[in-house]
Structure formats: structure tokens, C-alpha cells
């Protein structure tokens, strides 16, 4: 049997929601897994890269591959181990630009294996296994559910994720610079502890974010998309970010500008009325410091990971 899954890109944090808020974008990875019948053929992993990325060479093609690890955990969940498997990973989502490429392949491996095994795991189990591998639920949950998602990760490993009613006309301009930043490096610059006033600052802003989304309140959203828990520590890793935020502050149509996940990409939440100007502001700030960027304006997709083929 052969199963193919499609999984959206995601952006985590959204400013105030460090490690708990994320949204899904209509850019996709495609994962196919096939149980082969030839005993002893082992694991075969193929990667089809849609972006000709150098870093794809470094992705393991053996049992250290993260898709394989996700599949193995699901087999283990039902007391089995995968034997002969062919895995194909088609990377529509650029790698290491913090568009949730790792969350997407983890989720893809899990939902494809779940289909292959006859649905032993429900959504809560898939969320919990995927979050355990990724280390935080903010990309995983929107990759599974689609939309804008708020997630809680409890001490016992359970994940509770709730979709928020994101207005369709709030778009995301995602600005992807031409250099990589691994989440590991970007997490390594964060402090172990933060001042109480900064924790309270984010608490206030994330509460406002939820209310803004529920009431479609653009002014409240503008106020809410701020952060003191991670962005201030990461700006040194993303040259031009402060300048871009400053330049966009009073631009018509901009609802907020945040670091996308752990960076280096930047996400501008906007109302769709001034897209070209927004793109121009970002690209010229980066051009001034010799950073090239790909910039796309996309809606949030309400559709999460799904099985698109089964044979
Ligand atoms: N919440 C994670 C971080 C997201 O900021 O490190 C990584 O995409």
C-alpha cells in the first residue's frame, strides 16, 4: 500500500505567542510512504527538492531521517516497528527558513503512517507525538489543523490545540531572506529566564491577540502583535529586522510585523490593500544591506494536513 500526504507550511509565534501560536500557509510538502513487499529491502528515502537548495544534500537518507523517526514512533505506539519502507519527500516548503519545514515532514510522516496502519492514532495522539519530536507545538498544530491555532503543551505530554476564527482578508506577506538560520541557533540566543515585566507584557499582548482575532478588531491586533520574550534577543541574527519593523510601523494596511518563527524570515500581517508598497519597503531595507529576499503575499489556509492519494 502507498499513501501520500500533503502538509502546509506554517509560521510560529506571531509575535506575542512564543511557542504557542502558529498559522498555516498554502505552500506544501508532499510525503509518500509505501510498504514494500520485498523482505530485506530496508528503508529507502528519496528527496525531491523543488527549490534546488544546497542544504537538502545534508538531510539524512537513513533511519536518522526525521520523517522515518516520526513513522517509527507511530509504529512503536502500536507495538510494532517499520521494516521495509519507501519514503519520498517532495519539498515545496523551503528548508531552514522557518516556514515549518520540519514540522511539516514530521506531520506528513505521521499522518501517512496512520493511514497505512488503519488509523490507530487519533488527532490528540498525533499532536502529542509530533510535538515531542519537534519540541514545541506552535508549528505542529497548524500543520495538522490548518488555520491560526493556539496550543497548550502539558507536562504529561498532552497537547491541546484550538483554532481561532482568523478573518479571511487578513493576509500574510512572508519575506524570506537568502540565508539560513537554524532554529537551534536561534533558540540558543534566548535567555533561560526573563524579567517578570516582560512575561507580563507578553501575557497582556497574547490575551489581546485572541480578543482581536475573535472580534476582527484591526486596531487591537496592531497593538497585540508585539513581543518581549524572543524577538529582542534574535534581532542580532536577522540584520535589517529592526529597520523593517520601524519602516512598516506607520505604513497603511500593515497590521503588524513579526519575526516568522525563529527567523530569519519576517511576516507582515496586512489587510491586502497596500501589498506592493509593503513588499517594496521590505526589499529595499534588505537591499541596502545586500540581503536578497523572496517575498510572497498569501492568505492563511484553513486546511491542514491531508491524505491526497492512497493506492
Ligand atoms: N517557537 C519556535 C521558536 C518556532 O521560536 O523557536 C520555531 O519555528
Amino acid at each position: 500500500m502507498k499513501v501520500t500526504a500533503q502538509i502546509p507550511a506554517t509560521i510560529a509565534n506571531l509575535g506575542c505567542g512564543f511557542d504557542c501560536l502558529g498559522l498555516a500557509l498554502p505552500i506544501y510538502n508532499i510525503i509518500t510512504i509505501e510498504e514494500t513487499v520485498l523482505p530485506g529491502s530496508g528503508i529507502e528515502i528519496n528527496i525531491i527538492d523543488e527549490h534546488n537548495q544546497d542544504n537538502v544534500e545534508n538531510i539524512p537518507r537513513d533511519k536518522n531521517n526525521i520523517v522515518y523517526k516520526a513513522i517509527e514512533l507511530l509504529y512503536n505506539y502500536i507495538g510494532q516497528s517499520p521494516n521495509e519502507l519507501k519514503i519520498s519527500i517532495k519539498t515545496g516548503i523551503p528548508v531552514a527558513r522557518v516556514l515549518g519545514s520540519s514540522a511539516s515532514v514530521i506531520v506528513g510522516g505521521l499522518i501517512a503512517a496512520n493511514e497505512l496502519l488503519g488509523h490507530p492514532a487519533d488527532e490528540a495522539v498525533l499532536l502529542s507525538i509530533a510535538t515531542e519530536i519537534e519540541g514545541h507545538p506552535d508549528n505542529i498544530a497548524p500543520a495538522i489543523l490548518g488555520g491560526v491555532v493556539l496550543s497548550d503543551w502539558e507536562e504529561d505530554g498532552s497537547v491541546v490545540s484550538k483554532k481561532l476564527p482568523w478573518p479571511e482578508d487578513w493576509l500574510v506577506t512572508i519575506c524570506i531572506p537568502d540565508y539560513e538560520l537554524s532554529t537551534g541557533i536561534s533558540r540558543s540566543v534566548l535567555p533561560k529566564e526573563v524579567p517578570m515585566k516582560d512575561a507580563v507584557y507578553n501575557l497582556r499582548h497574547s490575551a489581546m491577540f485572541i480578543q482581536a482575532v475573535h472580534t476582527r478588531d484591526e486596531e487591537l491586533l496592531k497593538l497585540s502583535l508585539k513581543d518581549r520574550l524572543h524577538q529582542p534577543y534574535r534581532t542580532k541574527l536577522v540584520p535589517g529586522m529592526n529597520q523593517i519593523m520601524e519602516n512598516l510601523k506607520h505604513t497603511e494596511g500593515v497590521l503588524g510585523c513579526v519575526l516568522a518563527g525563529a527567523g530569519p524570515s519576517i511576516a507582515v500581517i496586512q489587510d491586502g490593500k497596500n501589498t506592493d508598497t509593503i513588499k517594496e519597503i521590505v526589499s529595499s531595507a534588505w537591499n541596502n544591506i545586500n540581503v536578497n529576499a523572496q517575498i510572497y503575499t498569501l492568505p492563511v489556509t484553513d486546511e491542514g494536513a491531508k491524505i491526497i492519494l492512497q493506492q
Side-chain angles (χ1 to χ4, degrees):
M1 188 175 169
K2 185 172 167 179
V3 176
T4 300
Q6 170 186 281
I7 323 91
T10 51
I11 294 179
N13 298 332
L14 313 182
C16 55
F18 177 67
D19 272 3
C20 60
L21 280 174
L23 58 76
L25 292 177
I27 308 175
Y28 300 98
N29 276 344
I30 307 284
I31 306 279
T32 300
I33 64 174
E34 183 177 5
E35 273 191 316
T36 53
V37 280
L38 291 175
S41 54
I43 307 297
E44 182 186 322
I45 299 178
N46 295 303
I47 300 178
I48 306 148
D49 177 24
E50 292 197 339
H51 299 280
N52 291 322
Q53 305 164 95
D54 296 341
N55 51 14
V56 165
E57 287 306 309
N58 306 328
I59 297 175
R61 264 70 168 176
D62 56 16
K63 290 188 175 179
N64 292 314
N65 183 283
I66 199 163
V67 180
Y68 175 77
K69 283 177 185 274
I71 295 170
E72 188 179 38
L73 276 180
L74 194 71
Y75 272 76
N76 294 167
Y77 173 73
I78 55 163
Q80 294 182 19
S81 301
N83 292 319
E84 283 74 33
L85 270 190
K86 254 189 179 174
I87 301 171
S88 147
I89 305 164
K90 194 161 157 200
T91 62
I93 304 174
V95 176
R97 297 293 196 279
V98 181
L99 288 174
S101 57
S102 72
S104 147
V105 295
I106 291 167
V107 166
L110 283 176
I111 70 155
N114 201 37
E115 189 75 27
L116 208 61
L117 294 169
H119 301 274
D122 61 15
E123 192 176 277
V125 171
L126 294 174
L127 274 167
S128 160
I129 296 178
T131 299
E132 189 187 323
I133 304 172
E134 174 90 338
H136 36 88
D138 44 346
N139 292 102
I140 295 291
I144 292 181
L145 302 172
V148 177
V149 185
L150 167 67
S151 295
D152 171 45
W153 190 18
E154 287 293 320
E155 310 264 296
D156 65 1
S158 60
V159 176
V160 175
S161 295
K162 296 288 170 194
K163 247 170 133 161
L164 304 176
W166 187 257
E168 268 176 30
D169 49 352
W170 289 358
L171 306 180
V172 181
T173 293
I174 179 78
C175 315
I176 310 173
D178 61 355
Y179 63 91
E180 274 181 43
L181 174 61
S182 77
T183 299
I185 291 177
S186 192
R187 286 183 90 84
S188 73
V189 299
L190 301 180
K192 297 269 174 292
E193 290 173 1
V194 294
M196 175 65 98
K197 65 178 177 18
D198 290 348
V200 173
Y201 181 93
N202 271 56
L203 193 59
R204 284 200 307 268
H205 286 79
S206 47
M208 279 193 278
F209 177 90
I210 306 298
Q211 176 68 0
V213 172
H214 273 279
T215 56
R216 303 178 55 103
D217 185 333
E218 295 191 349
E219 291 310 311
L220 195 62
L221 189 80
K222 281 184 195 168
L223 207 55
S224 74
L225 287 169
K226 295 183 189 135
D227 162 72
R228 285 201 188 151
L229 295 185
H230 70 110
Q231 291 182 179
Y233 305 99
R234 289 170 158 169
T235 48
K236 60 181 174 221
L237 302 174
V238 186
M241 179 177 148
N242 281 340
Q243 191 61 54
I244 290 170
M245 285 184 158
E246 189 53 39
N247 294 355
L248 286 172
K249 217 183 228 167
H250 303 294
T251 304
E252 206 194 325
V254 172
L255 303 177
C257 175
V258 296
L259 192 62
S265 300
I266 288 175
V268 185
I269 314 295
Q270 50 123 328
D271 66 8
K273 296 194 189 95
N274 207 7
T275 298
D276 290 343
T277 308
I278 292 168
K279 288 182 176 170
E280 177 53 32
I281 288 173
V282 176
S283 59
S284 72
W286 266 338
N287 277 344
N288 287 344
I289 53 169
N290 296 321
V291 173
N292 293 315
Q294 292 171 41
I295 305 180
Y296 311 101
T297 297
L298 298 165
V300 170
T301 176
D302 201 47
E303 192 172 61
K306 63 175 187 186
I307 303 296
I308 54 171
L309 193 71
Q310 198 173 338
Q311 322 179 297

